[in-house]
Amino acid sequence: MLKNIKRNDFLIIVGLLLIALVFVYYYVNSLARNKLWLKTYLVRAELSVQKTNCSDDSPTWLADILNHQTRHNNAPANQIAYIDQQDNLHHCENGYVGQYPLLSDPTTQQTRFRYASVTKLWTADTILLLIKEGKLSLDTKLSDIITEIDKPKDPNVNEITIRELLLHRAGFDRYSMFGQDMFGIGKPICPDNLQGLNDIKLGFIPDSKTSYSNLGYCLLGEVISRLNDDRSYKNVIAQQYNFANSTLQFVSDAALPDEVSYNYVETGLTGHANIYTAFNYDGLASAAGLSGNAIDLAKQVKAMAAKPAPNILSVDSKVACDKAQIQECYGYAMIPYQPDDQATTVYFRDGSLLGLSSLAAVDDRGGVVALLSNGTPSNGAQGNNKVKMMIYQHLAAAQ
């Protein structure tokens, strides 16, 4: 029978078998399938760049930044909003809401993105409001408000102040067991096991150095709750910032109906299948729990920056830092960057989660930029800093 099979027929059968084997391989091997998907990014990026829309009379640099994010920072969908010093609003969007370009709806100004750590601006702004209202001070000790702190094994826990929590100087080392609740390192402490503060050993003496801490901002969220008649942090923030008249909304472990998809696929063995299930968003509410669009982000940041000092632009005079280094100098909410004493100062607050990045920037004359992206650069801080410098140069030129 085999002798009767023509050579061309035989080649067709072999070809079909090979196609079937390849299909089965990628079907059963999700990591290989994900790596193959990533190799299609250059094509997806160019399709996203072609789908760029801007408001009338928007500065050309807004679209340039979106194109940079798409081509160089693994973000096929982006929004950028710019409120200039004369309060004129400009915005651009690019890419597609869904995972597959051309087959899903284009990104619009109303598309929802997660804000990640830019959420900390609302937490800091609310704490600073409580200070201005006289309900606490920068030097109030955390243990005066979080009464679960009772005879901690590390006596330095008793010395943590509101100032140190805002400035990421409270002693929580994000690389230690008790420094980074966000990724499930160690036993969770905040917000549901505050008694655990009695059992930890701080990574360093409070106020002796700076170490970025999501745990510290979770504790600030609890302070806000306690000083608002024990109402939940989410309830206080949503009411105080009038979320009902904006797209702002707290996120959970599932995508919201109007939310963009994120350019993240698992290619290793981290166990993080997707951005929705990788984190405890209830516990991260005050550190990374908000979502919305870039226009609402810019408007809210603009309002915060215009408030009397201390505000989100304030830098603590007691902390010596170098503002010429773009990630060096933590203020109460944002990081100021000023390359020299005569130059414009721009304040940054950024954030990232699996497959997304966010950024808010404010110049010293009130211009505001909000950038939301559904991807993160492969070179990490270097890629993010490149975008910050691009924004800095345009804001400085507008002075």
Side-chain angles (χ1 to χ4, degrees):
M1 180 178 176
L2 292 176
K3 293 180 180 180
N4 296 325
I5 298 177
K6 296 180 179 180
R7 182 175 182 274
N8 287 343
D9 292 338
F10 177 77
L11 292 176
I12 290 172
I13 292 172
V14 171
L16 290 174
L17 286 173
L18 289 173
I19 292 171
L21 288 172
V22 169
F23 177 81
V24 170
Y25 171 76
Y26 282 109
Y27 180 79
V28 301
N29 190 330
S30 60
L31 293 183
R33 186 169 66 250
N34 289 343
K35 290 179 180 178
L36 179 64
W37 171 250
L38 291 180
K39 291 179 180 178
T40 70
Y41 184 73
L42 290 178
V43 174
R44 292 184 283 130
E46 288 308 309
L47 291 172
S48 293
V49 167
Q50 299 306 313
K51 200 65 176 178
T52 301
N53 294 294
C54 294
S55 58
D56 294 340
D57 301 320
S58 289
T60 57
W61 59 266
L62 297 183
D64 291 342
I65 287 176
L66 295 196
N67 291 345
H68 177 87
Q69 285 291 84
T70 301
R71 290 190 170 118
H72 301 287
N73 285 346
N74 299 319
N78 305 270
Q79 293 175 333
I80 191 168
Y82 171 42
I83 303 176
D84 64 25
Q85 296 160 9
Q86 292 74 42
D87 289 335
N88 299 307
L89 172 66
H90 311 280
H91 60 88
C92 292
E93 305 80 35
N94 78 334
Y96 295 85
V97 175
Q99 185 178 12
Y100 303 105
L102 303 178
L103 300 180
S104 63
D105 294 330
T107 306
T108 71
Q109 65 192 72
Q110 294 299 321
T111 301
R112 178 179 304 279
F113 287 72
R114 300 191 175 207
Y115 287 174
S117 284
V118 171
T119 299
K120 291 180 174 69
L121 291 177
W122 281 262
T123 302
D125 187 62
T126 303
I127 289 290
L128 294 172
L129 175 62
L130 291 169
I131 290 171
K132 285 179 277 194
E133 291 175 343
K135 296 180 180 179
L136 77 166
S137 75
L138 287 168
D139 296 318
T140 298
K141 292 183 178 180
L142 178 66
S143 57
D144 291 343
I145 301 170
I146 306 298
T147 56
E148 287 87 344
I149 299 174
D150 180 25
K151 297 180 180 179
K153 294 178 181 178
D154 184 343
N156 287 314
V157 173
N158 273 326
E159 305 306 314
I160 296 172
T161 66
I162 298 299
R163 183 196 310 271
E164 291 156 359
L165 291 168
L166 286 171
L167 296 172
H168 300 277
R169 296 175 65 86
F172 302 121
D173 185 347
R174 70 180 305 181
Y175 300 108
S176 73
M177 181 173 293
F178 301 113
Q180 178 60 288
D181 274 354
M182 185 173 180
F183 295 99
I185 300 175
K187 186 177 181 180
I189 294 173
C190 183
D192 299 322
N193 180 35
L194 295 175
Q195 293 86 353
L197 290 167
N198 294 301
D199 300 322
I200 69 172
K201 180 175 178 56
L202 295 179
F204 54 91
I205 297 172
D207 206 30
S208 63
K209 70 174 186 177
T210 300
S211 180
Y212 188 83
S213 174
N214 288 298
L215 173 56
Y217 264 74
C218 182
L219 293 170
L220 287 173
E222 281 300 299
V223 170
I224 290 169
S225 175
R226 301 289 172 94
L227 295 181
N228 281 276
D229 301 320
D230 288 328
R231 291 162 54 208
S232 73
Y233 169 85
K234 292 180 181 179
N235 180 274
V236 173
I237 298 299
Q239 182 176 358
Q240 183 166 303
Y241 295 91
N242 198 20
F243 282 11
N245 291 325
S246 74
T247 59
L248 270 70
Q249 187 174 340
F250 284 100
V251 298
S252 65
D253 59 358
L256 293 164
D258 57 349
E259 189 172 351
V260 74
S261 64
Y262 299 104
N263 189 36
Y264 171 80
V265 291
E266 173 60 30
T267 57
L269 298 174
T270 67
H272 298 316
N274 58 61
I275 185 176
Y276 312 108
T277 58
F279 309 108
N280 173 12
Y281 285 104
D282 287 334
L284 282 175
S286 57
L290 277 176
S291 68
N293 61 42
I295 291 175
D296 282 337
L297 173 55
K299 288 179 177 179
Q300 295 246 341
V301 171
K302 177 86 170 179
M304 292 180 197
K307 292 179 180 180
N311 60 28
I312 61 170
L313 306 184
S314 297
V315 177
D316 196 288
S317 60
K318 295 182 179 181
V319 178
C321 57
D322 184 2
K323 290 193 289 185
Q325 302 299 316
I326 199 164
Q327 286 186 304
E328 168 72 19
C329 191
Y330 280 99
Y332 293 142
M334 305 187 82
I335 297 176
Y337 172 69
Q338 185 184 31
D340 62 70
D341 291 341
Q342 305 303 315
T344 298
T345 301
V346 173
Y347 303 81
F348 294 102
R349 169 70 267 180
D350 61 353
S352 63
L353 291 172
L354 301 177
L356 74 89
S357 56
S358 56
L359 176 65
V362 185
D363 68 44
D364 52 16
R365 295 184 61 186
V368 175
V369 173
L371 174 63
L372 300 174
S373 303
N374 74 336
T376 56
S378 56
N379 56 349
Q382 182 179 348
N384 287 326
N385 288 344
K386 170 67 174 177
V387 174
K388 290 176 185 176
M389 290 306 304
M390 292 172 67
I391 291 174
Y392 177 87
Q393 291 163 5
H394 291 297
L395 290 178
Q399 299 290 321

